[in-house]
Amino acid sequence: MYLMKDITRDGDPVLRQVAAKVAFPLSEADQKLAHDMMEYLEVSQVPETAEKYGLRPGVGLAAPQVGVSEMMAAVLVPGTEDHPKPLFKEVIINPVIVSHSVQPAALSEGEGCLSVDHDLPGYVVRHDRITVRYQDIDGKTHKIRLRDYPAIVCQHEIDHLNGHLYYDLINQKDPYQLTDQNTVLID
Ligand code: SB7
Ligand code: NI
C-alpha cells in the first residue's frame, strides 16, 4: 500500500513529464499500480485508517504521483450521507477529454494536491462539463460525460498525466479573479 513517503512532491521532474500511454493487456506491474492507487484513495477516505497510516485524504491519484510516468489515474469521488454510493469510482487509463462545455467552473474552496505540500489559494478554472474517453483495467473503452465536482477531479488527474499542476491554472496577479462571469462555483 502507498504511504505519504511514496508520493512524489512538486519539484520532482516526473510531475512535469507527459506520461506514456499504457499498453494492453496490463502488465502485472500495471495491474498492481491500478489496485494500489485505488487502495490509497479508499484507505485515505476513512478517517480512522487515514489517521492510522498518516494519509492525506484524496479523491484522486495519478501514476506520476507515485513515480510512474504512465497514463493511469485512480478516481474515487465519494457519495453523500444519504447517497453513500460513490459518485465516480474508476481507474482511468489513457484518458482523453474529447469534448467539453464552454462554461467554466471552479471549486469555491480552490484545490489541493497530494504532491503539493502547501495549499495555494485561488480559483482553478476548468470546464464545467467534459466528455472523457478512457480504458478500464480490462482494456474496455468508455466514453462518459461528467459535470461539476467529478468533472473537476478528472481534469485535475488528467492534468497530472500531461505534466500540469493545479496552481498552473490560478491567476497569479489575482487568484480569485474570474474573467468569465458565467463560471460555475462548486461548493
Ligand atoms: C481537489 C482535489 C483533487 C482534485 C480536484 C480538486 C485531488 C487531490 C489529490 N490529488 O493530488 C490527486 O492528484
Ligand atoms: Ni493532484
Side-chain angles (χ1 to χ4, degrees):
M1 188 180 79
Y2 290 119
L3 300 172
M4 288 313 292
K5 67 168 173 59
D6 304 310
I7 306 288
T8 56
R9 301 304 159 92
D10 196 7
D12 187 323
V14 73
L15 291 171
R16 291 303 187 177
Q17 286 165 13
V18 176
K21 276 195 74 175
V22 175
F24 287 89
L26 288 188
S27 67
E28 298 228 342
D30 282 340
Q31 290 179 43
K32 181 168 161 53
L33 175 67
H35 170 272
D36 288 356
M37 289 198 300
M38 186 57 81
E39 180 181 46
Y40 177 96
L41 300 182
E42 290 168 346
V43 173
S44 79
Q45 288 182 15
V46 176
E48 294 74 26
T49 49
E51 155 119 79
K52 178 172 175 199
Y53 295 106
L55 307 183
R56 259 180 81 183
V59 290
L61 185 64
Q65 296 186 275
V66 294
V68 180
S69 193
E70 292 184 2
M71 291 264 175
M72 184 190 297
V75 180
L76 177 50
V77 181
T80 53
E81 232 176 88
D82 43 274
H83 198 284
K85 184 174 127 54
L87 287 182
F88 187 63
K89 179 177 184 177
E90 188 77 290
V91 175
I92 58 173
I93 300 172
N94 303 324
V96 180
I97 295 172
V98 292
S99 64
H100 61 79
S101 63
V102 172
Q103 186 162 46
L107 300 186
S108 55
E109 309 278 311
E111 296 186 15
C113 180
L114 296 169
S115 295
V116 179
D117 285 331
H118 301 282
D119 281 351
L120 297 160
Y123 291 137
V124 181
V125 180
R126 301 187 181 277
H127 311 300
D128 183 52
R129 301 178 297 282
I130 57 174
T131 300
V132 192
R133 182 170 17 94
Y134 68 89
Q135 287 166 286
D136 64 21
I137 56 170
D138 299 316
K140 182 177 182 303
T141 299
H142 299 252
K143 199 169 132 187
I144 59 157
R145 297 187 63 181
L146 296 171
R147 53 160 50 212
D148 299 337
Y149 187 53
I152 297 280
V153 175
C154 279
Q155 288 171 83
H156 178 119
E157 302 316 325
I158 293 169
D159 267 1
H160 274 301
L161 305 181
N162 291 295
H164 305 304
L165 293 170
Y166 76 95
Y167 62 77
D168 301 346
L169 294 173
I170 298 174
N171 184 319
Q172 295 301 298
K173 275 200 194 126
D174 183 357
Y176 288 102
Q177 181 181 298
L178 290 176
T179 35
D180 188 328
Q181 290 318 117
N182 286 320
T183 306
V184 179
L185 287 178
I186 301 162
D187 289 316

